[in-house]
Amino acid sequence: MTQVQAGAAQARWCLVPRPVAAPRLRLICFAYAGGSADLFRNWVEHLAPDVELVAVRLPGRGMRLREPLYGEWPALVEDCASALAPYLGEPHALFGHSFGGRLAYEIAQRMRPVLPPGTCRGLFIGGCRSPDSPQARPYLHELPEPAFRAALRTMGGTPTEVLEDERLMSLMLPIMRADMRLAELWGNWHRTPLDVPLHVYYGHADPIDSEASVAGWRGFTTSGCELVGFDGAHFFLDSHRELLLAHMATRLRS
């Protein structure tokens, strides 16, 4: 791959709302199921000037709307890690919510054997069960469309105007179902814990990923794990965004 091709691939995968000439740290962010990189565009307002935010663009949304969705974890992780390689080789932290939390963890595991210790400064995970916590049944991704739509409405996170717009929903439903399939079939595949500090966030009223389901994250790192709860449901990163970002900013400074 030429330098031009590599740059084009990186631009296709990465949104950098506020480029920093010589960042002290990069925060690489992964959205929840069906979410886009634009979710993180305004987060830069809460980050220190020397922290560069990189939001990951996945196929099926935004400028990649017509690209095929991923159906299996290995291909998604490999392609994502390859596109992020220039960022992952330098000091960084990872954040992901729900499905994005799973992907952030998989990227950290994928890079664990090849990066010098300390390159990844922290893994921030929100609304995401630990790998050894069983997935609740029935699987949402297997529900017929009326029940799937009802589940989306119950979960929150999807604006009412989107749920009631048939044109938008026809675009969104396949993406959300594909992401949820990956999230629900995800499991405990790695024998070696990370050597990265974990910061795990959950909503006290989350009907999907409760405090009990995230508590197991303590066993997946040798560098300490803190659990932080918010008075919200599954999408507390929207309802309690400023509190979440204030906590993250404090940890990123240290």
Side-chain angles (χ1 to χ4, degrees), residues 76-103:
L76 171 58
V77 173
E78 286 301 315
D79 290 352
C80 195
S82 177
L84 291 171
Y87 300 129
L88 295 172
E90 298 181 354
H92 66 273
L94 304 169
F95 170 84
H97 187 83
S98 196
F99 161 71
R102 295 156 167 81
L103 182 50

PDB file of all heavy atoms in Angstrom, residues 76-103:
ATOM      1  N   LEU A  76     -13.333  -7.611  11.610  1.00  0.00           N
ATOM      2  CA  LEU A  76     -13.523  -6.241  12.085  1.00  0.00           C
ATOM      3  C   LEU A  76     -12.314  -5.772  12.885  1.00  0.00           C
ATOM      4  O   LEU A  76     -11.793  -4.667  12.674  1.00  0.00           O
ATOM      5  CB  LEU A  76     -14.790  -6.167  12.945  1.00  0.00           C
ATOM      6  CG  LEU A  76     -15.022  -4.856  13.703  1.00  0.00           C
ATOM      7  CD1 LEU A  76     -15.093  -3.673  12.750  1.00  0.00           C
ATOM      8  CD2 LEU A  76     -16.288  -4.948  14.556  1.00  0.00           C
ATOM      9  N   VAL A  77     -11.836  -6.596  13.796  1.00  0.00           N
ATOM     10  CA  VAL A  77     -10.715  -6.198  14.657  1.00  0.00           C
ATOM     11  C   VAL A  77      -9.449  -6.005  13.833  1.00  0.00           C
ATOM     12  O   VAL A  77      -8.709  -5.026  14.019  1.00  0.00           O
ATOM     13  CB  VAL A  77     -10.503  -7.235  15.774  1.00  0.00           C
ATOM     14  CG1 VAL A  77      -9.239  -6.934  16.565  1.00  0.00           C
ATOM     15  CG2 VAL A  77     -11.715  -7.258  16.704  1.00  0.00           C
ATOM     16  N   GLU A  78      -9.165  -6.920  12.916  1.00  0.00           N
ATOM     17  CA  GLU A  78      -7.950  -6.809  12.111  1.00  0.00           C
ATOM     18  C   GLU A  78      -7.968  -5.563  11.246  1.00  0.00           C
ATOM     19  O   GLU A  78      -6.977  -4.822  11.169  1.00  0.00           O
ATOM     20  CB  GLU A  78      -7.775  -8.060  11.242  1.00  0.00           C
ATOM     21  CG  GLU A  78      -7.323  -9.283  11.996  1.00  0.00           C
ATOM     22  CD  GLU A  78      -5.989  -9.070  12.705  1.00  0.00           C
ATOM     23  OE1 GLU A  78      -5.054  -8.504  12.082  1.00  0.00           O
ATOM     24  OE2 GLU A  78      -5.888  -9.436  13.879  1.00  0.00           O
ATOM     25  N   ASP A  79      -9.081  -5.310  10.565  1.00  0.00           N
ATOM     26  CA  ASP A  79      -9.158  -4.147   9.681  1.00  0.00           C
ATOM     27  C   ASP A  79      -9.102  -2.851  10.481  1.00  0.00           C
ATOM     28  O   ASP A  79      -8.460  -1.875  10.067  1.00  0.00           O
ATOM     29  CB  ASP A  79     -10.439  -4.195   8.855  1.00  0.00           C
ATOM     30  CG  ASP A  79     -10.422  -5.297   7.805  1.00  0.00           C
ATOM     31  OD1 ASP A  79      -9.362  -5.925   7.625  1.00  0.00           O
ATOM     32  OD2 ASP A  79     -11.467  -5.530   7.170  1.00  0.00           O
ATOM     33  N   CYS A  80      -9.765  -2.848  11.605  1.00  0.00           N
ATOM     34  CA  CYS A  80      -9.773  -1.657  12.452  1.00  0.00           C
ATOM     35  C   CYS A  80      -8.376  -1.375  13.016  1.00  0.00           C
ATOM     36  O   CYS A  80      -7.896  -0.233  12.986  1.00  0.00           O
ATOM     37  CB  CYS A  80     -10.787  -1.846  13.577  1.00  0.00           C
ATOM     38  SG  CYS A  80     -11.217  -0.338  14.454  1.00  0.00           S
ATOM     39  N   ALA A  81      -7.720  -2.403  13.509  1.00  0.00           N
ATOM     40  CA  ALA A  81      -6.374  -2.236  14.053  1.00  0.00           C
ATOM     41  C   ALA A  81      -5.399  -1.774  12.968  1.00  0.00           C
ATOM     42  O   ALA A  81      -4.508  -0.951  13.221  1.00  0.00           O
ATOM     43  CB  ALA A  81      -5.892  -3.540  14.675  1.00  0.00           C
ATOM     44  N   SER A  82      -5.563  -2.290  11.753  1.00  0.00           N
ATOM     45  CA  SER A  82      -4.686  -1.882  10.653  1.00  0.00           C
ATOM     46  C   SER A  82      -4.879  -0.406  10.318  1.00  0.00           C
ATOM     47  O   SER A  82      -3.901   0.332  10.128  1.00  0.00           O
ATOM     48  CB  SER A  82      -4.983  -2.745   9.423  1.00  0.00           C
ATOM     49  OG  SER A  82      -4.199  -2.334   8.317  1.00  0.00           O
ATOM     50  N   ALA A  83      -6.133   0.038  10.265  1.00  0.00           N
ATOM     51  CA  ALA A  83      -6.406   1.445   9.946  1.00  0.00           C
ATOM     52  C   ALA A  83      -5.918   2.383  11.048  1.00  0.00           C
ATOM     53  O   ALA A  83      -5.490   3.509  10.781  1.00  0.00           O
ATOM     54  CB  ALA A  83      -7.903   1.641   9.717  1.00  0.00           C
ATOM     55  N   LEU A  84      -5.978   1.914  12.293  1.00  0.00           N
ATOM     56  CA  LEU A  84      -5.590   2.743  13.435  1.00  0.00           C
ATOM     57  C   LEU A  84      -4.105   2.624  13.778  1.00  0.00           C
ATOM     58  O   LEU A  84      -3.645   3.297  14.703  1.00  0.00           O
ATOM     59  CB  LEU A  84      -6.406   2.347  14.665  1.00  0.00           C
ATOM     60  CG  LEU A  84      -7.894   2.687  14.640  1.00  0.00           C
ATOM     61  CD1 LEU A  84      -8.600   2.039  15.822  1.00  0.00           C
ATOM     62  CD2 LEU A  84      -8.100   4.192  14.663  1.00  0.00           C
ATOM     63  N   ALA A  85      -3.362   1.812  13.048  1.00  0.00           N
ATOM     64  CA  ALA A  85      -1.964   1.527  13.392  1.00  0.00           C
ATOM     65  C   ALA A  85      -1.115   2.777  13.648  1.00  0.00           C
ATOM     66  O   ALA A  85      -0.333   2.809  14.606  1.00  0.00           O
ATOM     67  CB  ALA A  85      -1.333   0.657  12.308  1.00  0.00           C
ATOM     68  N   PRO A  86      -1.227   3.832  12.822  1.00  0.00           N
ATOM     69  CA  PRO A  86      -0.389   5.014  13.087  1.00  0.00           C
ATOM     70  C   PRO A  86      -0.679   5.663  14.434  1.00  0.00           C
ATOM     71  O   PRO A  86       0.201   6.294  15.018  1.00  0.00           O
ATOM     72  CB  PRO A  86      -0.764   5.957  11.934  1.00  0.00           C
ATOM     73  CG  PRO A  86      -1.296   5.067  10.855  1.00  0.00           C
ATOM     74  CD  PRO A  86      -2.009   3.969  11.582  1.00  0.00           C
ATOM     75  N   TYR A  87      -1.911   5.524  14.935  1.00  0.00           N
ATOM     76  CA  TYR A  87      -2.282   6.096  16.226  1.00  0.00           C
ATOM     77  C   TYR A  87      -1.960   5.150  17.374  1.00  0.00           C
ATOM     78  O   TYR A  87      -1.549   5.571  18.453  1.00  0.00           O
ATOM     79  CB  TYR A  87      -3.773   6.429  16.255  1.00  0.00           C
ATOM     80  CG  TYR A  87      -4.215   7.417  15.213  1.00  0.00           C
ATOM     81  CD1 TYR A  87      -5.298   7.145  14.379  1.00  0.00           C
ATOM     82  CD2 TYR A  87      -3.561   8.637  15.058  1.00  0.00           C
ATOM     83  CE1 TYR A  87      -5.719   8.063  13.435  1.00  0.00           C
ATOM     84  CE2 TYR A  87      -3.973   9.558  14.112  1.00  0.00           C
ATOM     85  CZ  TYR A  87      -5.063   9.264  13.299  1.00  0.00           C
ATOM     86  OH  TYR A  87      -5.470  10.177  12.355  1.00  0.00           O
ATOM     87  N   LEU A  88      -2.151   3.861  17.141  1.00  0.00           N
ATOM     88  CA  LEU A  88      -1.954   2.886  18.208  1.00  0.00           C
ATOM     89  C   LEU A  88      -0.491   2.730  18.602  1.00  0.00           C
ATOM     90  O   LEU A  88      -0.186   2.291  19.708  1.00  0.00           O
ATOM     91  CB  LEU A  88      -2.536   1.530  17.784  1.00  0.00           C
ATOM     92  CG  LEU A  88      -4.052   1.490  17.591  1.00  0.00           C
ATOM     93  CD1 LEU A  88      -4.477   0.158  16.979  1.00  0.00           C
ATOM     94  CD2 LEU A  88      -4.784   1.723  18.904  1.00  0.00           C
ATOM     95  N   GLY A  89       0.415   3.079  17.705  1.00  0.00           N
ATOM     96  CA  GLY A  89       1.834   2.970  18.010  1.00  0.00           C
ATOM     97  C   GLY A  89       2.359   4.084  18.883  1.00  0.00           C
ATOM     98  O   GLY A  89       3.519   4.048  19.310  1.00  0.00           O
ATOM     99  N   GLU A  90       1.536   5.101  19.144  1.00  0.00           N
ATOM    100  CA  GLU A  90       1.917   6.231  19.988  1.00  0.00           C
ATOM    101  C   GLU A  90       1.029   6.250  21.227  1.00  0.00           C
ATOM    102  O   GLU A  90       0.013   5.543  21.282  1.00  0.00           O
ATOM    103  CB  GLU A  90       1.783   7.532  19.190  1.00  0.00           C
ATOM    104  CG  GLU A  90       2.707   7.578  17.972  1.00  0.00           C
ATOM    105  CD  GLU A  90       2.585   8.887  17.211  1.00  0.00           C
ATOM    106  OE1 GLU A  90       1.701   9.711  17.560  1.00  0.00           O
ATOM    107  OE2 GLU A  90       3.358   9.080  16.261  1.00  0.00           O
ATOM    108  N   PRO A  91       1.382   7.043  22.262  1.00  0.00           N
ATOM    109  CA  PRO A  91       0.574   7.047  23.487  1.00  0.00           C
ATOM    110  C   PRO A  91      -0.904   7.336  23.197  1.00  0.00           C
ATOM    111  O   PRO A  91      -1.237   8.302  22.511  1.00  0.00           O
ATOM    112  CB  PRO A  91       1.218   8.166  24.309  1.00  0.00           C
ATOM    113  CG  PRO A  91       2.637   8.190  23.861  1.00  0.00           C
ATOM    114  CD  PRO A  91       2.583   7.894  22.391  1.00  0.00           C
ATOM    115  N   HIS A  92      -1.766   6.482  23.741  1.00  0.00           N
ATOM    116  CA  HIS A  92      -3.190   6.613  23.456  1.00  0.00           C
ATOM    117  C   HIS A  92      -4.010   5.999  24.583  1.00  0.00           C
ATOM    118  O   HIS A  92      -3.495   5.248  25.422  1.00  0.00           O
ATOM    119  CB  HIS A  92      -3.548   5.937  22.132  1.00  0.00           C
ATOM    120  CG  HIS A  92      -3.362   4.446  22.156  1.00  0.00           C
ATOM    121  ND1 HIS A  92      -2.156   3.835  21.861  1.00  0.00           N
ATOM    122  CD2 HIS A  92      -4.230   3.428  22.461  1.00  0.00           C
ATOM    123  CE1 HIS A  92      -2.279   2.535  21.981  1.00  0.00           C
ATOM    124  NE2 HIS A  92      -3.533   2.251  22.350  1.00  0.00           N
ATOM    125  N   ALA A  93      -5.284   6.328  24.577  1.00  0.00           N
ATOM    126  CA  ALA A  93      -6.276   5.664  25.411  1.00  0.00           C
ATOM    127  C   ALA A  93      -7.448   5.310  24.523  1.00  0.00           C
ATOM    128  O   ALA A  93      -7.628   5.897  23.447  1.00  0.00           O
ATOM    129  CB  ALA A  93      -6.724   6.584  26.555  1.00  0.00           C
ATOM    130  N   LEU A  94      -8.231   4.338  24.958  1.00  0.00           N
ATOM    131  CA  LEU A  94      -9.368   3.861  24.174  1.00  0.00           C
ATOM    132  C   LEU A  94     -10.658   4.062  24.957  1.00  0.00           C
ATOM    133  O   LEU A  94     -10.693   3.836  26.164  1.00  0.00           O
ATOM    134  CB  LEU A  94      -9.213   2.374  23.839  1.00  0.00           C
ATOM    135  CG  LEU A  94      -7.943   1.951  23.100  1.00  0.00           C
ATOM    136  CD1 LEU A  94      -7.814   0.434  23.091  1.00  0.00           C
ATOM    137  CD2 LEU A  94      -7.945   2.488  21.673  1.00  0.00           C
ATOM    138  N   PHE A  95     -11.702   4.492  24.268  1.00  0.00           N
ATOM    139  CA  PHE A  95     -13.032   4.573  24.882  1.00  0.00           C
ATOM    140  C   PHE A  95     -14.040   3.906  23.956  1.00  0.00           C
ATOM    141  O   PHE A  95     -14.023   4.101  22.743  1.00  0.00           O
ATOM    142  CB  PHE A  95     -13.486   6.012  25.119  1.00  0.00           C
ATOM    143  CG  PHE A  95     -14.942   6.092  25.531  1.00  0.00           C
ATOM    144  CD1 PHE A  95     -15.298   5.917  26.864  1.00  0.00           C
ATOM    145  CD2 PHE A  95     -15.948   6.289  24.592  1.00  0.00           C
ATOM    146  CE1 PHE A  95     -16.632   5.931  27.250  1.00  0.00           C
ATOM    147  CE2 PHE A  95     -17.285   6.324  24.973  1.00  0.00           C
ATOM    148  CZ  PHE A  95     -17.625   6.144  26.301  1.00  0.00           C
ATOM    149  N   GLY A  96     -14.958   3.139  24.552  1.00  0.00           N
ATOM    150  CA  GLY A  96     -16.053   2.572  23.779  1.00  0.00           C
ATOM    151  C   GLY A  96     -17.267   2.367  24.661  1.00  0.00           C
ATOM    152  O   GLY A  96     -17.141   2.091  25.861  1.00  0.00           O
ATOM    153  N   HIS A  97     -18.444   2.517  24.075  1.00  0.00           N
ATOM    154  CA  HIS A  97     -19.684   2.335  24.827  1.00  0.00           C
ATOM    155  C   HIS A  97     -20.469   1.169  24.244  1.00  0.00           C
ATOM    156  O   HIS A  97     -20.682   1.101  23.030  1.00  0.00           O
ATOM    157  CB  HIS A  97     -20.538   3.601  24.778  1.00  0.00           C
ATOM    158  CG  HIS A  97     -21.745   3.535  25.667  1.00  0.00           C
ATOM    159  ND1 HIS A  97     -21.683   3.816  27.014  1.00  0.00           N
ATOM    160  CD2 HIS A  97     -23.030   3.189  25.419  1.00  0.00           C
ATOM    161  CE1 HIS A  97     -22.879   3.660  27.555  1.00  0.00           C
ATOM    162  NE2 HIS A  97     -23.712   3.274  26.602  1.00  0.00           N
ATOM    163  N   SER A  98     -20.893   0.254  25.118  1.00  0.00           N
ATOM    164  CA  SER A  98     -21.722  -0.898  24.732  1.00  0.00           C
ATOM    165  C   SER A  98     -20.991  -1.725  23.661  1.00  0.00           C
ATOM    166  O   SER A  98     -19.917  -2.255  23.920  1.00  0.00           O
ATOM    167  CB  SER A  98     -23.085  -0.400  24.257  1.00  0.00           C
ATOM    168  OG  SER A  98     -24.031  -1.444  24.225  1.00  0.00           O
ATOM    169  N   PHE A  99     -21.519  -1.824  22.461  1.00  0.00           N
ATOM    170  CA  PHE A  99     -20.811  -2.522  21.383  1.00  0.00           C
ATOM    171  C   PHE A  99     -19.405  -1.932  21.198  1.00  0.00           C
ATOM    172  O   PHE A  99     -18.423  -2.656  21.002  1.00  0.00           O
ATOM    173  CB  PHE A  99     -21.611  -2.412  20.086  1.00  0.00           C
ATOM    174  CG  PHE A  99     -20.827  -2.683  18.834  1.00  0.00           C
ATOM    175  CD1 PHE A  99     -20.403  -3.964  18.541  1.00  0.00           C
ATOM    176  CD2 PHE A  99     -20.522  -1.656  17.956  1.00  0.00           C
ATOM    177  CE1 PHE A  99     -19.672  -4.229  17.379  1.00  0.00           C
ATOM    178  CE2 PHE A  99     -19.794  -1.900  16.795  1.00  0.00           C
ATOM    179  CZ  PHE A  99     -19.368  -3.195  16.513  1.00  0.00           C
ATOM    180  N   GLY A 100     -19.299  -0.607  21.294  1.00  0.00           N
ATOM    181  CA  GLY A 100     -18.002   0.051  21.151  1.00  0.00           C
ATOM    182  C   GLY A 100     -17.034  -0.314  22.259  1.00  0.00           C
ATOM    183  O   GLY A 100     -15.820  -0.340  22.044  1.00  0.00           O
ATOM    184  N   GLY A 101     -17.563  -0.597  23.469  1.00  0.00           N
ATOM    185  CA  GLY A 101     -16.705  -1.042  24.554  1.00  0.00           C
ATOM    186  C   GLY A 101     -16.090  -2.394  24.248  1.00  0.00           C
ATOM    187  O   GLY A 101     -14.909  -2.644  24.560  1.00  0.00           O
ATOM    188  N   ARG A 102     -16.859  -3.259  23.667  1.00  0.00           N
ATOM    189  CA  ARG A 102     -16.345  -4.570  23.262  1.00  0.00           C
ATOM    190  C   ARG A 102     -15.247  -4.414  22.213  1.00  0.00           C
ATOM    191  O   ARG A 102     -14.206  -5.076  22.279  1.00  0.00           O
ATOM    192  CB  ARG A 102     -17.486  -5.425  22.715  1.00  0.00           C
ATOM    193  CG  ARG A 102     -18.559  -5.793  23.746  1.00  0.00           C
ATOM    194  CD  ARG A 102     -19.873  -6.086  23.038  1.00  0.00           C
ATOM    195  NE  ARG A 102     -20.877  -6.730  23.850  1.00  0.00           N
ATOM    196  CZ  ARG A 102     -21.684  -6.117  24.719  1.00  0.00           C
ATOM    197  NH1 ARG A 102     -21.565  -4.811  24.916  1.00  0.00           N
ATOM    198  NH2 ARG A 102     -22.605  -6.788  25.386  1.00  0.00           N
ATOM    199  N   LEU A 103     -15.492  -3.534  21.230  1.00  0.00           N
ATOM    200  CA  LEU A 103     -14.502  -3.337  20.180  1.00  0.00           C
ATOM    201  C   LEU A 103     -13.224  -2.698  20.733  1.00  0.00           C
ATOM    202  O   LEU A 103     -12.116  -3.087  20.354  1.00  0.00           O
ATOM    203  CB  LEU A 103     -15.099  -2.470  19.063  1.00  0.00           C
ATOM    204  CG  LEU A 103     -14.212  -2.196  17.850  1.00  0.00           C
ATOM    205  CD1 LEU A 103     -13.610  -3.470  17.289  1.00  0.00           C
ATOM    206  CD2 LEU A 103     -15.005  -1.445  16.778  1.00  0.00           C
TER     207      LEU A 103
END
